[in-house]
Amino acid sequence: MKPLPKGWETRRVLYAVLGLQLIMAGFLAGSDMLGTLPSFAWPSNAPGMESPVVPGDQTRRYAPRDTPLPPRAPGAPERPYRTSGDLPTRLEFTRDGEVLHLTGEIATGDDARFADALAAEEGVTRAAINSPGGSVRDALSIGRALRDAGLATEIEPGDICFSACPYILAAGVVRKVGEGAQVGVHQHYFGKNVALPAFMAVSDIQSGQGEVMEYLDDMGVDLRLMRPALATPPEEIYILVEDELTEWQVVTEAESE
């Protein structure tokens, strides 16, 4: 038998690794496409955000970058945002007196940016949040920093706090939701988009939910909040009514919606 060329074993290993990478890339692309199929094949039957929310009818269609924002309450200052798509794609931090405003999506790395912003501001007593949500783990980290600083939190009249945002709201030593503001929860995705065996993916999700539950308990929020969060799919949002906000201790002060 003719001997194999020198270095063939090394090349064979490299070819095998390349082939495996191509297979994984195809799997990930396919899983991403399949992940979008439910919204096309089985679109949400939930009404849009323009429909009034009443107890027992609180689930609405939700797209983080294309959701109409609630109208401003009478006398409230106007905002340059009409939909969630108008909000910044990562948190922006601006100060108004003793209030630090957190506006926009919660992006990966925003927890470190928030820590820097908070360290640079003296005399801040309250954080006002207007966000469609985003990174859960960054929200939890921001929330713990807020609690350590002893700040109050608020959703100002007519603003929104959806998805991961309520975890920041929950961190305030005093928590308030203004007139016409909306607070909503739904399912979250934990971890990275990698090819994992099913049991490892489930383990990652369970670990993330456990982290959220521990956080809410630390903040003094009733874990019943997790029921609508776990039951509402990502393409929908469950809007909390005032009784839920107060009974579940999401807020310590509430105004009529």
Side-chain angles (χ1 to χ4, degrees), residues 18 63 70 72 90 99 110 119 133 167 186 199 215 220 225 239 245:
L18 177 60
R72 302 295 294 167
R90 66 183 315 164
V99 181
D110 278 351
Y167 304 138
H186 65 179
F199 76 92
Y215 172 87
L225 176 66
I239 308 298
L245 290 169

Side-chain angles (χ1 to χ4, degrees), residues 197-228:
F199 76 92
M200 293 180 68
V202 171
S203 176
D204 187 67
I205 292 170
Q206 290 178 334
S207 175
Q209 296 295 0
E211 185 179 353
V212 169
M213 293 174 71
E214 179 182 14
Y215 172 87
L216 292 174
D217 190 48
D218 290 345
M219 299 301 157
V221 174
D222 195 315
L223 295 184
R224 282 180 293 174
L225 176 66
M226 294 299 293
R227 185 199 60 77

Side-chain angles (χ1 to χ4, degrees), residues 68-70 72 78-88 92 94 103-104 130 158-159:
L69 302 184
R72 302 295 294 167
E78 286 299 318
R79 297 274 193 269
Y81 316 115
R82 293 294 176 267
T83 73
S84 56
D86 297 330
L87 292 164
E92 291 185 353
T94 57
T103 306
N130 187 16
D159 286 345

Side-chain angles (χ1 to χ4, degrees), residues 176-200:
K176 181 179 179 180
V177 171
E179 181 181 356
Q182 293 180 336
V183 179
V185 296
H186 65 179
Q187 297 168 0
H188 297 298
Y189 174 76
F190 294 91
K192 300 177 182 179
N193 187 13
V194 295
L196 291 176
F199 76 92
M200 293 180 68

Side-chain angles (χ1 to χ4, degrees), residues 18-40:
L18 177 60
L20 179 60
Q21 289 177 332
L22 290 172
I23 292 171
M24 291 181 67
F27 178 84
L28 290 174
S31 65
D32 284 344
M33 291 179 65
L34 287 173
T36 64
L37 284 179
S39 61
F40 291 105

